[in-house]
Amino acid sequence: MFAILSVVLLLSTDKMAPYRVYLTTLVSPLQFIASAPLSLLDQSSQYFKLRSTLMSDNAKLKLEHLELSDRLLKLTHLENENRRLNALLGSQVAASGKKLIAKVQMVDSDPFRLQVIINKGAQDGVFVGQPVLDENGMVGQINYVSQFSSTVLLIADNSHAIPLRNNRNDVRLIALGKGDLHQLELQFVTKSTDVKIGDILSTSGLGGRFPQGYPVAKVTAIENRGSQIYSKIKVAPIAQLDRIRYLLLIWPVIPSDTKPGDE
Amino acid sequence: MRIPPLLIIWLSIGCALVLQVMPMPLQLDVFRPNWLLLTVMYWCLALPHRFNVGSAWLCGILLDALWGAPIGINGVIFALVCSFVIKNFQRIRSYSIWQQAVIAGGISLVYQATSYFIQRALFDVSLIEGYYYSALTSIIFWPWLFFLLRKTRRHWQVA
């Protein structure tokens, strides 16, 4: 009887999704307990840092800050310019939306899935399908949400695919996860497509799930077999998926239509 | 003070769930024994009238929720494994501790293989290296878990 019940549950995964929130919320205290020893260790190691380390860290960060603020100044200028040009063209304008920093909880998960659990959940407005970044690039998307935590499916998971665009020439591609944290694969790329080793691929924004323009992967190997139509292309994710600690959750902005005459 | 037996049982299940998701160094992660399965097996052996197939199914569902696996996968396997143990509990109980350990390892292996094949059939998953090692460590950890839980059971007079 329970076997039948399980099969029914498995087959109705999509319909049961709202109820799953309650179940995961119920077990999330266990996750907090399980991750407590390590986070305690982590905090104490933060606490007992040497003064010299802190000073050198501070100096380094100040330098980095200077560099970044210089680029940020340019960015605001470019953003404005871009908005004006987009308005001239009559195309959609995407502004930057809400952001939230989440911490990865050090807990184990399903051995068949590449996913991590983060400490932000439905009470922070996290939703299923939300894109997740780290400081280098795209990491994945939210898979399940509970009240206080949620699960991020990494782009390298077997079930994950992400629409990309080559930064060099705007060729559209799709990267599939292969269950390997260090490698994704591009599928159905004909041999004649212009892809070179070292190309940086960013999200294309097609499909509507991931916002446009975030770096995702770098082409590492291209293999052409004589008899096959498609070449086999391996790409490495830019975000270091095996050592993520802090993640950035972003809320996509509903693009506002700006007509040429508006501004 | 007398603590209700069901509370003890579910506290031990809770501990097993925590151990199941406890962070471990990557190299040791594949050697993690199936804590929850072993605990469930113990209660099925010791108190089959208190801990039935339904409880095992619930444990599986909790594990699914905790792991972020599709709900029901571990549930169905836990229910099946538990029904096997409950059907044979008198025979398994009479075995020596190491024979029991080997049986526990065998059940772990069956559990993992079934879990893999179900996921394989439903979704596209690939086998990770060393996936079956935890069945081995389950054999090694069974006697300890068995004596620990038996001591707990006798101390709190769970029956």
Side-chain angles (χ1 to χ4, degrees):
Chain A
M1 189 194 87
F2 289 104
I4 297 167
L5 197 56
S6 300
V7 172
V8 171
L9 275 178
L10 268 179
L11 294 180
S12 61
T13 308
D14 291 335
K15 284 195 197 110
M16 296 300 284
Y19 304 103
R20 191 180 174 120
V21 176
Y22 303 117
L23 197 63
T24 359
T25 310
L26 191 75
V27 293
S28 60
L30 293 175
Q31 290 169 348
F32 279 97
I33 296 172
S35 66
L38 206 75
S39 47
L40 201 73
L41 215 68
D42 212 46
Q43 272 169 17
S44 51
S45 77
Q46 289 270 329
Y47 193 74
F48 292 113
K49 251 186 189 162
L50 281 179
R51 192 180 131 87
S52 56
T53 335
L54 285 178
M55 275 165 71
S56 71
D57 271 5
N58 198 0
K60 207 173 78 189
L61 286 174
K62 261 185 189 147
L63 221 69
E64 216 174 277
H65 179 240
L66 204 70
E67 209 174 297
L68 284 177
S69 40
D70 170 49
R71 290 179 64 177
L72 199 66
L73 284 175
K74 268 185 220 148
L75 184 74
T76 24
H77 174 68
L78 285 175
E79 251 179 3
N80 282 333
E81 191 175 277
N82 194 7
R83 196 176 307 139
R84 273 202 301 278
L85 287 172
N86 267 324
L88 279 177
L89 287 170
S91 61
Q92 290 175 332
V93 179
S96 54
K98 187 185 161 194
K99 292 181 184 69
L100 189 68
I101 292 174
K103 196 178 171 201
V104 174
Q105 291 211 298
M106 298 289 167
V107 290
D108 210 51
S109 71
D110 190 351
F112 297 114
R113 291 260 166 268
L114 292 178
Q115 54 191 14
V116 292
I117 291 160
I118 55 171
N119 66 347
K120 293 280 186 283
Q123 66 170 8
D124 307 288
V126 178
F127 60 93
V128 173
Q130 186 172 19
V132 180
L133 309 164
D134 76 349
E135 70 271 25
N136 299 315
M138 201 51 95
V139 165
Q141 56 176 302
I142 299 287
N143 204 8
Y144 303 115
V145 179
S146 84
Q147 198 62 32
F148 313 108
S149 65
S150 39
T151 312
V152 181
L153 187 71
L154 303 182
I155 49 172
D157 186 84
N158 259 323
S159 61
H160 200 275
I162 182 167
L164 301 177
R165 187 192 305 252
N166 194 335
N167 277 6
R168 184 166 53 85
N169 52 13
D170 278 356
V171 169
R172 277 169 289 120
L173 303 155
I174 288 179
L176 257 79
K178 284 278 145 206
D180 179 355
L181 283 174
H182 306 286
Q183 208 172 66
L184 311 177
E185 208 177 279
L186 299 184
Q187 280 221 324
F188 306 121
V189 183
T190 49
K191 278 187 206 159
S192 56
T193 313
D194 180 16
V195 178
K196 284 186 189 146
I197 289 180
D199 280 356
I200 302 286
L201 311 176
S202 301
T203 45
S204 66
L206 300 171
R209 180 148 291 192
F210 295 101
Q212 181 177 333
Y214 288 98
V216 175
K218 194 174 173 185
V219 179
T220 50
I222 300 173
E223 193 184 315
N224 283 319
R225 290 258 175 76
S227 57
Q228 282 163 355
I229 317 163
Y230 301 115
S231 42
K232 222 175 165 178
I233 301 180
K234 302 235 176 336
V235 299
I238 289 171
Q240 289 184 310
L241 297 179
D242 52 344
R243 49 189 82 161
I244 35 182
R245 295 291 304 280
Y246 291 94
L247 293 174
L248 192 67
L249 295 162
I250 49 174
W251 273 260
V253 176
I254 302 116
S256 57
D257 284 313
T258 320
K259 302 227 164 56
D262 278 0
E263 282 190 329
Chain B
M1 194 180 76
R2 182 133 167 76
I3 296 177
L6 276 179
L7 185 67
I8 298 282
I9 295 180
W10 285 101
L11 270 179
S12 72
I13 295 285
C15 292
L17 277 170
V18 168
L19 281 173
Q20 194 79 62
V21 294
M22 198 82 141
M24 295 234 277
L26 265 184
Q27 294 84 1
L28 293 180
D29 204 42
V30 288
F31 291 104
R32 180 198 304 270
N34 295 310
W35 292 110
L36 187 64
L37 189 77
L38 293 181
T39 315
V40 165
M41 262 183 67
Y42 175 79
W43 290 118
C44 287
L45 276 182
L47 305 167
H49 57 284
R50 282 225 184 268
F51 199 87
N52 54 20
V53 181
S55 333
W57 180 77
L58 194 62
C59 291
I61 297 288
L62 287 178
L63 184 61
D64 283 329
L66 202 58
W67 262 357
I71 296 272
I73 285 199
N74 283 302
V76 65
I77 308 170
F78 270 65
L80 290 177
V81 163
C82 185
S83 67
F84 170 78
V85 174
I86 287 183
K87 206 154 245 176
N88 297 295
F89 78 96
Q90 274 162 332
R91 190 178 309 164
I92 300 176
R93 252 190 214 172
S94 66
Y95 288 151
S96 77
I97 186 75
W98 284 106
Q99 278 172 315
Q100 280 184 9
V102 171
I103 289 173
I107 286 179
S108 294
L109 202 64
V110 170
Y111 155 69
Q112 284 176 293
T114 328
S115 155
Y116 171 61
F117 283 119
I118 293 180
Q119 296 237 30
R120 177 93 218 209
L122 290 178
F123 322 99
D124 186 24
V125 298
S126 51
L127 203 59
I128 43 173
E129 205 180 326
Y131 173 62
Y132 290 112
Y133 289 168
S134 45
L136 269 178
T137 36
S138 295
I139 298 183
I140 298 164
F141 275 84
W142 170 258
W144 276 270
L145 192 78
F146 179 81
F147 287 125
L148 183 74
L149 285 175
R150 191 167 70 175
K151 203 164 161 58
T152 322
R153 180 169 64 85
R154 291 192 174 156
H155 185 256
W156 299 104
Q157 293 163 9
V158 183

